[in-house]
Amino acid sequence: MVDRRDFLAGLVASAVASSAHELFGSATALEKTGESLIPESLVEAPNYWCTWAAQNYMYGHNLAKLDAKILEGDSGSRLAHDAMTEEILFGKNGWATAFFPKIRKDVFLLLDDGWQVGGTATFELDSRKFPSCTGSSIERLKKLNHAIEEAGWRSTALWCRNTPGGDADHRLESVSQSAGIRYWKIDIGDPSFNLVRLRDETHIPLILEHVHGESAVNGDWRKDGRFGPQSWGSRRMKILQNTDVFRTYDVTSILSLPTTLDRLAEMLKGAEGHSEIHALLNVEDEVYLAAAMGCTMGILRHPMHGMRPGSDADLFFNGPRQAKRRMDEVVRALRWQRIAPPFAPGVGSVKLSEEVLTDNWVFERGQAWLNDIIGMKVAQGAPAVITRNIGLPKVQSKGEKPFITAAKFPNGAIAIAAHERTKVGNGWFMPKSDVTLSVSDAPGPFGVFGYFDSLTLAFNGPLQKQRILAQDLAGDRSFDITNAVRIRENSLFIPGGVMCNIGLHSATPGDISAPGLVIALR
């Protein structure tokens, strides 16, 4: 699906790639090994691609003009609800058959609002929308799940809201079990966790996701836009204690990163020291944040663009970030989780920098579904650096700094990510930074996401006669980069150009994703 925007982005991407190759040499000039650093085994964590953003983009393709106001509020939700059909999933270029071919088996395909009839928790597949799925309630769902699995996805996940409670909940869980449905996205409801209790009593293999409803922006967005501390007795912590997956909830497209970062930081800090928590945190479409911080993903981005008239309005993905042109980031983030699976928020320590970075934006019509912020300057703040089970890295930058996240995983792997910033008049930019991270005696491997001027990994002891291998997480073979890095006693210095060339080596043509690579010492 290429339009004039693709052509311009391709020119920019080519210029950047050309410059990087001149400065640091092409990855093809490095020694390619026969070894892949990425396991063949699939991701076991409950990640999914959710259809909701795609549903919200379907109205208006054939119109001469489109007033973005119709996409907001209840009218937009109804249009999205109506967009969910068998044809849109399985027809020519259908979502189930065309999207994410490299990683479908790693993720559930989650059908959001619009798949069922008669309410938001009937679990009755709408036979008018899915005419090929005939038979009883269970048979219709079973056929739907079979079609999705045949298309290569891990399985089907389903959205619901306000389940009926009591014994009726058990009937719905039994229907899901019989149909092979193993994940529910509970978008509000189940306040007393009846679904969890019944599931545990009957041992039904069903993953349950709960939320605490949030505004699309945090706190006082006219000032600093902070989420605020979460005490152990808070409702959000109560939900975290009683679910399998806690989703950090809805955000705006343009300020998604700082909003989600601050929510994640406070949820992690609130859970610190509580090893009895077994739930995972889901940071929705912030896939590099999920990869670096041991969280699950509720992927929303999709590759459809340029299909609406005028400015191609899309309330879910808009602005300078161009997330729909960053599909490779999803592949890289998920393949890293084959190496370093997500882990519960109560495991280990959490460190937040005292320094807070604040992003801001003035939202135009068509850039947000929250009417209150249209035409307003919105601020969202978050800690400059967030880490799990590892010390805060040293970040040197002239002027603005990037957000930095890092984690040491229970299996010894370490990930670090540099995240872009957003300011009025300068959306989605990456400040230059030199980062040093003390990794102690961690064996690795090491996942690196985003753009760095340089990254130094500091070890406890000297590095002797080590081969340094690196691989684009979207690729299948590693490169020996030993001669392209610098080893001095106990430190490994990796130039930004090397990380960029390796981390984008297997990029899809026209994709503008940030780099993502794995580094291993041999």
Side-chain angles (χ1 to χ4, degrees):
M1 301 177 184
V2 180
D3 66 358
R4 62 185 182 278
R5 303 174 182 86
D6 288 323
F7 177 73
L8 294 174
L11 291 178
V12 174
S14 297
V16 172
S18 175
S19 176
H21 278 241
E22 290 173 5
L23 288 172
F24 300 101
S26 166
T28 57
L30 299 169
E31 180 185 349
K32 194 172 187 178
T33 76
E35 177 182 2
S36 175
L37 303 179
I38 304 168
E40 290 293 330
S41 56
L42 302 178
V43 176
E44 294 184 1
N47 298 301
Y48 57 79
W49 177 69
C50 173
T51 60
W52 188 238
Q55 289 173 243
N56 274 272
Y57 185 69
M58 297 313 295
Y59 175 78
H61 292 186
N62 299 314
L63 298 180
K65 293 182 179 180
L66 177 63
D67 183 351
K69 191 171 183 179
I70 197 175
L71 307 176
E72 299 169 4
D74 291 341
S75 62
S77 295
R78 172 48 59 181
L79 292 170
H81 176 280
D82 293 344
M84 171 60 70
T85 65
E86 179 179 314
E87 177 66 20
I88 208 68
L89 284 176
F90 302 108
K92 184 179 180 181
N93 297 319
W95 303 340
T97 55
F99 292 178
F100 300 109
K102 288 185 178 180
I103 46 82
R104 277 183 213 152
K105 287 189 179 297
D106 289 293
V107 296
F108 293 98
L109 196 167
L110 191 148
L111 306 188
D112 211 288
D113 187 23
W115 66 270
Q116 57 191 325
V117 66
T120 59
T122 64
F123 284 75
E124 294 284 346
L125 183 65
D126 191 333
S127 57
R128 294 171 302 170
K129 291 185 172 186
F130 294 87
S132 297
C133 298
T134 58
S136 67
S137 298
I138 292 173
E139 289 170 341
R140 293 200 303 274
L141 278 179
K142 187 180 290 187
K143 289 178 180 178
L144 173 66
N145 188 41
H146 177 74
I148 286 173
E149 290 180 351
E150 282 291 298
W153 298 82
R154 176 176 174 178
S155 193
T156 306
L158 296 176
W159 174 95
C160 63
R161 174 178 287 171
N162 294 325
T163 51
D167 291 339
D169 284 350
H170 175 60
R171 184 188 70 79
L172 297 180
E173 290 185 345
S174 297
V175 167
S176 279
Q177 181 182 24
S178 298
I181 307 297
R182 293 181 285 131
Y183 194 108
W184 287 8
K185 175 184 179 181
I186 307 163
D187 191 11
I188 307 298
D190 194 32
S192 61
F193 311 108
N194 186 55
L195 292 168
V196 178
R197 180 183 59 80
L198 290 170
R199 186 275 312 270
D200 291 346
E201 289 176 356
T202 54
H203 305 290
I204 289 176
L206 180 63
I207 300 167
L208 299 171
E209 172 193 299
H210 289 76
V211 298
H212 185 282
E214 314 287 356
S215 170
V217 290
N218 293 336
D220 187 347
W221 49 264
R222 292 176 178 83
K223 295 181 179 179
D224 58 356
R226 300 302 307 279
F227 187 57
Q230 299 302 305
S231 67
W232 182 243
S234 71
R235 179 60 186 170
R236 294 180 182 90
M237 284 294 134
K238 184 71 171 177
I239 296 171
L240 187 62
Q241 296 169 55
N242 289 279
T243 189
D244 302 317
V245 179
F246 180 100
R247 180 166 56 93
T248 55
Y249 213 66
D250 300 352
V251 291
T252 63
S253 173
I254 297 175
L255 292 178
S256 169
L257 179 63
T259 304
T260 305
L261 269 172
D262 209 31
R263 292 176 186 176
L264 174 62
E266 297 298 352
M267 292 300 295
L268 286 172
K269 201 64 182 173
E272 186 178 22
H274 291 279
S275 59
E276 69 272 23
I277 292 177
H278 300 293
L280 297 171
L281 289 168
N282 179 307
V283 293
E284 292 204 322
D285 196 69
E286 291 298 343
V287 295
Y288 276 4
L289 179 59
M293 292 298 285
C295 301
T296 65
M297 310 169 210
I299 304 156
L300 286 160
R301 68 186 72 181
H302 56 81
M304 298 181 293
H305 54 84
M307 300 172 71
R308 280 175 167 165
S311 63
D312 193 32
D314 185 343
L315 270 61
F316 281 77
F317 292 106
N318 55 71
R321 183 175 184 176
Q322 301 184 74
K324 294 193 290 186
R325 307 165 76 87
R326 299 174 181 271
M327 306 305 289
D328 284 351
E329 290 178 354
V330 177
V331 176
R332 294 185 177 112
L334 282 165
R335 297 187 82 195
W336 169 251
Q337 291 196 343
R338 294 184 184 180
I339 298 169
F343 59 105
V347 175
S349 62
V350 179
K351 293 188 183 337
L352 312 178
S353 65
E354 293 184 3
E355 182 180 12
V356 171
L357 303 179
T358 302
D359 285 4
N360 53 59
W361 192 256
V362 177
F363 285 88
E364 300 174 2
R365 179 71 67 189
Q367 290 187 334
W369 47 266
L370 186 63
N371 289 326
D372 293 350
I373 63 174
I374 302 301
M376 306 296 289
K377 183 177 180 180
V378 177
Q380 295 286 275
V385 184
I386 307 171
T387 66
R388 301 182 68 182
N389 303 328
I390 199 167
L392 295 174
K394 181 180 179 182
V395 181
Q396 293 180 307
S397 184
K398 295 180 180 179
E400 294 281 3
K401 293 180 178 179
F403 289 107
I404 301 289
T405 57
K408 180 179 180 181
F409 291 74
N411 65 3
I414 286 180
I416 185 168
H419 305 277
E420 289 85 345
R421 302 289 308 285
T422 297
K423 296 281 189 179
V424 174
N426 190 17
W428 203 246
F429 66 98
M430 176 60 81
K432 294 182 177 181
S433 65
D434 297 287
V435 179
T436 299
L437 178 67
S438 177
V439 299
S440 185
D441 58 353
F446 305 90
V448 183
F449 302 90
Y451 292 96
F452 297 78
D453 270 22
S454 70
L455 174 64
T456 300
L457 302 178
F459 294 80
N460 276 355
L463 300 172
Q464 297 177 347
K465 297 181 180 179
Q466 298 273 10
R467 289 178 69 216
I468 313 300
L469 305 183
Q471 179 176 335
D472 184 347
L473 282 160
D476 297 320
R477 289 292 178 266
S478 62
F479 292 87
D480 188 330
I481 62 168
T482 307
N483 295 328
V485 302
R486 187 165 67 236
I487 298 175
R488 287 185 177 175
E489 296 182 351
N490 67 331
S491 68
L492 171 62
F493 175 87
I494 312 167
V498 172
M499 291 183 285
C500 184
N501 278 323
I502 296 295
L504 295 174
H505 178 262
S506 299
T508 302
D511 190 276
I512 61 171
S513 294
L517 64 152
V518 55
I519 298 170
L521 279 59
R522 291 287 190 264

